[in-house]
Amino acid sequence: MAKTSIFAALPLTNFKTPSQFRVKNSSIISFTETHFFRQSISTGIVRSSTPRGIGSVSCSSVTDEASSEELQVRTLTWKWKGYSIRYQCAGTRGPALVLVHGFGANSDHWRKNTPILGKTHRVYSIDLIGYGYSDKPNPREFGGEPFYTFETWGEQLNDFCLDVVKDEAFFICNSIGGLVGLQAAVSKPEICRGLMLINISLRMLHIKKQPLIGRPFIKSFQNLLRNTPVGKLFFKSIAKPETVKSILCQCYHDSSQVTDELVEAILRPGLEPGAVDVFLEFICYSGGPLPEDLLPLVKCPVLIAWGEKDPWEPIELGRAYSNFDAVEDFIVLPDAGHCPQDEKPEMVNPLIESFVARH
């Protein structure tokens, strides 16, 4: 029986590429065929409306020295509503891609995708507010109104496209990031050219998916975590290298890909001031939209890809999303876990390229 975890979005890697993908309508797309789609990518760009003056961009550092096959990835800072937002980017031509991480992760989770895709695309990977090295405002500062919600992150994503990308973009999203991409695409459909959802979170802890008899107990437990020292003790118990590694080994099919580098990339920003409050706020966020609420409202093409060995988001349940009109294909990624973009980049990168090339 598949496990459900509050950590539905963390990172990893594996480079053995299968020869075929299984697709929504039982057709087969070979790995070689998907790679060749990239040759038809259009270089024509249609600009979106003039961006609002909502932020400013500054360069904070340059990282990831380029190899002979990879572009240099720049690390930059964008000011959004007074908050500092980190993002990384690569590439100067082709369609714009915005890569959106999941819960507990950050833009480093796309480190095996950004420099590769940047050879033929303008690629941006962003730290959602509250995560990574973006600012982490205390959720209690907002007068009791929830701040860390998909509406907030969806607005951040759309504003990022208007203010930084200055163009329409494809949203490439993993896990909880898939809800962010969906919310953004529904809120401002003129910005999103297409959505690729990689192991989107099913939100199995959502209040609607809990039995009626258990809902009062869930609410009480959430209050315990958020409003007593229990929550911070719980966070302290898991914010350790050995615990993070154990969690990652659950969600990666190939546990050998859970390296010290990966553990540090996930853990280090999670130890910054304010991270514990964001963590507790989100695991107590059992409302908001479900994928099945947003998919019927999406106007752009959607591709769903799913690591078949995901222990947290069962592929049997994920297949139901292929029935929505906007979903073009449901592609099974063999021998991949919850984060295929990091575990199987040689499989996922050409799949992204082929999806973008078709639109």
Side-chain angles (χ1 to χ4, degrees), residues 73 88-90 99 107 110-118 123 125:
V73 176
Q88 302 181 57
C89 60
L99 315 182
S107 58
W110 299 96
R111 67 197 186 283
K112 296 174 183 175
N113 316 101
T114 303
I116 302 300
L117 296 170
V123 184
S125 54

Side-chain angles (χ1 to χ4, degrees), residues 83 170 222 318 336:
Y83 300 113
F170 290 88
Q222 290 173 335

